[in-house]
Amino acid sequence: MLLKRKARLDLVKSKKRSSAKQDSSDDSDDSEASNDDKLLMQPSHYRQQDYKFEEEEGEGSDFEELNVVFDHFNPKEEDFHGIRQFLKEYLDKTVFDVSGLVDLIIGQSGAVGTIVKVANESEVYGLISMVSFKYYQTEKCMKQIKSFVLSKCPADLQDQMKQALEGNTGLIISERMVNMPQEMALPLVSGLFDEIKLSQEDQPKELRARYRMDR
C-alpha cells in the first residue's frame, strides 16, 4: 500500500513507492487521521495543496487574500451525490445511468480513483478515475457510454473503435469545478496512471483485470 501523506506541495518531492514500507515512526504525520479515514492510500503524486484566492469585502475595499487547502481522498459512499453532480451531463446531456457509473467509481476506491475536497468539508470539488470497458461490459452505464462513443465515431472508423472498446480500454473520468486551479490537473493525472500501474502489483490477482489496460 502507498501512503497518502499530508504535506505542502512546494515543500515535498515525489517519494518512491518503497516509502510506504518504512517504519511506523515515519508515519507519524498521519497519526491524527480517524479510524474511518484509514483507507488504501494513494501514490506520492497526491499532496495536500495550498492555493490563494482574493475576496472583495465591499465597495472600495482592498482585496483580502485567503488560503484554501485541498486534500485528495479515496471516494466513499458519502461522496456519492457530490460525484454524481459532476457526471449528470457527462454525455452532452444524453440520459444514461449516472448512478451506476458513480457506483463503479466508488467500488474501486483504494485502488484507482481520487476526489478533491477542502479539509473537513464534505463538498466534492473534483475527481479523477478510470473505468474499464471490458471488465464492466455488462453494466448498463458502460453499454450506454459505449453506444454514445460509437454514435460520435466516423463511419469508416466504426470497426476500429468497436475493437478498441471491446479490449482492455479504460474510460478516464476527469472532472473539476470551473474555477479550480489548473495546477491541480497534473498531479491528479500522474497519480492516476501510477495507480493503474501499481494495481497490477498490489491488487489481488482476481481484481487486476479491472485495471488492466492495453498499450
Side-chain angles (χ1 to χ4, degrees):
M1 292 189 300
L2 297 178
L3 297 178
K4 179 190 294 176
R5 297 187 181 279
K6 292 186 176 181
R8 300 301 180 192
L9 185 65
D10 57 347
L11 297 181
V12 188
K13 293 184 178 180
S14 179
K15 297 179 182 291
K16 294 183 179 179
R17 178 171 172 266
S18 59
S19 66
K21 298 180 180 180
Q22 293 176 348
D23 295 337
S24 59
S25 60
D26 293 333
D27 296 332
S28 59
D29 293 340
D30 300 317
S31 60
E32 296 180 0
S34 66
N35 291 333
D36 292 339
D37 290 330
K38 290 181 179 178
L39 308 171
L40 289 175
M41 302 305 187
Q42 308 284 11
S44 56
H45 286 285
Y46 292 125
R47 292 286 181 264
Q48 187 181 69
Q49 300 181 46
D50 253 356
Y51 294 99
K52 293 180 179 180
F53 295 89
E54 291 182 339
E55 182 181 79
E56 188 175 7
E57 291 187 324
E59 186 176 353
S61 66
D62 294 331
F63 285 96
E64 180 185 359
E65 196 174 71
L66 301 176
N67 288 323
V68 179
V69 180
F70 293 107
D71 268 340
H72 302 94
F73 300 92
N74 294 322
K76 294 181 177 181
E77 286 293 337
E78 66 194 43
D79 303 309
F80 179 92
H81 294 289
I83 296 172
R84 191 180 189 282
Q85 197 66 27
F86 278 103
L87 303 178
K88 287 170 62 176
E89 300 182 359
Y90 187 65
L91 300 184
D92 294 340
K93 299 184 179 180
T94 299
V95 177
F96 77 109
D97 183 15
V98 183
S99 296
L101 181 58
V102 177
D103 284 337
L104 296 185
I105 293 171
I106 294 175
Q108 297 181 158
S109 179
V112 169
T114 297
I115 60 171
V116 179
K117 296 163 56 171
V118 172
N120 302 317
E121 292 187 11
S122 60
E123 186 170 4
V124 177
Y125 287 85
L127 71 133
I128 191 166
S129 191
M130 185 281 299
V131 180
S132 169
F133 277 103
K134 185 174 183 178
Y135 189 86
Y136 296 112
Q137 60 184 313
T138 60
E139 296 290 337
K140 181 180 178 181
C141 61
M142 297 306 290
K143 289 180 179 179
Q144 292 170 324
I145 293 172
K146 180 179 177 181
S147 296
F148 177 83
V149 172
L150 290 173
S151 72
K152 302 296 182 180
C153 181
D156 59 330
L157 297 177
Q158 284 280 325
D159 291 341
Q160 186 177 345
M161 180 61 74
K162 286 179 181 178
Q163 184 177 2
L165 296 180
E166 290 171 358
N168 290 318
T169 298
L171 173 69
I172 294 180
I173 302 164
S174 180
E175 301 288 335
R176 66 181 188 273
M177 289 189 177
V178 175
N179 59 344
M180 291 293 287
Q182 294 182 355
E183 293 84 354
M184 296 191 65
L186 181 58
L188 286 171
V189 172
S190 298
L192 176 66
F193 282 99
D194 275 356
E195 289 177 327
I196 293 171
K197 180 179 179 181
L198 293 173
S199 69
Q200 300 305 301
E201 303 172 19
D202 295 345
Q203 292 296 304
K205 290 184 178 181
E206 63 273 15
L207 295 181
R208 293 179 186 178
R210 281 186 181 183
Y211 318 110
R212 186 175 297 122
M213 299 294 108
D214 291 333
R215 292 185 179 273

